[in-house]
């Protein structure tokens, strides 16, 4: 797996305890990514808040992340925050991504059991990174790219890419290196 020299910058959108983020960083490194945390939180303005829904709109936060981090020398940028967000047509999202940029919303992933909370964050950060690098949803139930509609779905899947997604990711990253 170490042929992957892709680098990931994790950006905080709200204060987040290292206890919550460190396991995700460690997991990405175990998958062969170089991962770093940018410790200056991204300021998400209240103008992006929908007061009727009491949620942030994921599309507009993603635009902000794209604007603020377009110049950074990382393969992918994943912003993580204790935020509840929705996307067009969806009641809520755990994450929302586009090419190179991803966001993860941990508020609905919270559990009184810290290890469960950490595990959910690992899975959603890995999932959104998969999207940011070009992977789509996967039908394999244990695959981290399986779509999760609830925390129960998140708990059911593993922290790993299935064989098919893993192979696809490797070829995407190899193609990127050639550029
Ligand atoms: Zn997804
Ligand atoms: Zn898969």
């Amino acid at each position: 797996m170490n042929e992957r020299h892709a680098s990931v910058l994790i950006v905080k959108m709200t204060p987040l305890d290292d206890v919550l983020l460190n396991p995700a960083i460690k997991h990405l490194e175990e998958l062969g990514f170089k991962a770093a945390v940018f410790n200056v939180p991204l300021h998400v303005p209240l103008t992006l808040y929908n007061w009727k829904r009491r949620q942030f709109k994921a599309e507009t936060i993603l635009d902000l992340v794209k604007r603020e981090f377009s110049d950074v020398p990382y393969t992918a940028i994943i912003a993580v925050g204790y935020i509840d967000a929705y996307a067009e047509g969806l009641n809520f999202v755990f994450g929302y991504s586009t090419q190179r940029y991803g966001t993860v919303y941990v508020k609905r992933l919270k559990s009184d059991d810290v290890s469960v909370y950490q595990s959910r964050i690992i899975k959603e950060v890995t999932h959104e990174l998969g999207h940011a690098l070009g992977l789509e949803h996967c039908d394999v139930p244990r695959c981290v790219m399986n779509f999760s509609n609830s925390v129960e779905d998140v708990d059911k899947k593993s922290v790993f890419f299935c064989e098919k997604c893993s192979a696809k990711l490797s070829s995407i990253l190899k193609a990127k290196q050639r550029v």
Side-chain angles (χ1 to χ4, degrees), residues 105-121:
Y105 302 104
V106 305
K107 196 167 180 180
R108 287 178 188 256
L109 299 175
K110 195 171 189 219
S111 165
D112 291 336
D113 183 336
V114 175
S115 68
V116 170
Y117 195 15
Q118 288 168 326
S119 163
R120 289 173 182 168
I121 293 174

Side-chain angles (χ1 to χ4, degrees), residues 59-74:
E59 290 95 334
T60 52
I61 292 188
L62 192 60
D63 284 342
L64 176 73
V65 175
K66 277 157 80 172
R67 266 202 315 275
E68 298 288 339
F69 292 92
S70 60
D71 292 337
V72 302
Y74 286 83

Side-chain angles (χ1 to χ4, degrees), residues 127-128 131 137 147:
H127 181 99
E128 295 309 323
H131 282 318
H137 285 146
F147 174 69

Side-chain angles (χ1 to χ4, degrees), residues 41-104:
L42 171 69
H43 174 65
V44 178
L46 267 181
T47 47
L48 306 187
Y49 192 67
N50 183 324
W51 285 95
K52 274 189 204 138
R53 298 183 60 131
R54 301 197 169 269
Q55 289 174 302
F56 280 91
K57 191 170 184 186
E59 290 95 334
T60 52
I61 292 188
L62 192 60
D63 284 342
L64 176 73
V65 175
K66 277 157 80 172
R67 266 202 315 275
E68 298 288 339
F69 292 92
S70 60
D71 292 337
V72 302
Y74 286 83
T75 317
I77 297 93
I78 306 292
V80 187
Y82 190 79
I83 282 172
D84 185 22
Y86 72 99
E88 214 51 62
L90 295 169
N91 288 336
F92 68 90
V93 289
F94 292 135
Y96 196 78
S97 300
T98 185
Q99 200 57 246
R100 192 169 179 239
Y101 304 92
T103 52
V104 175

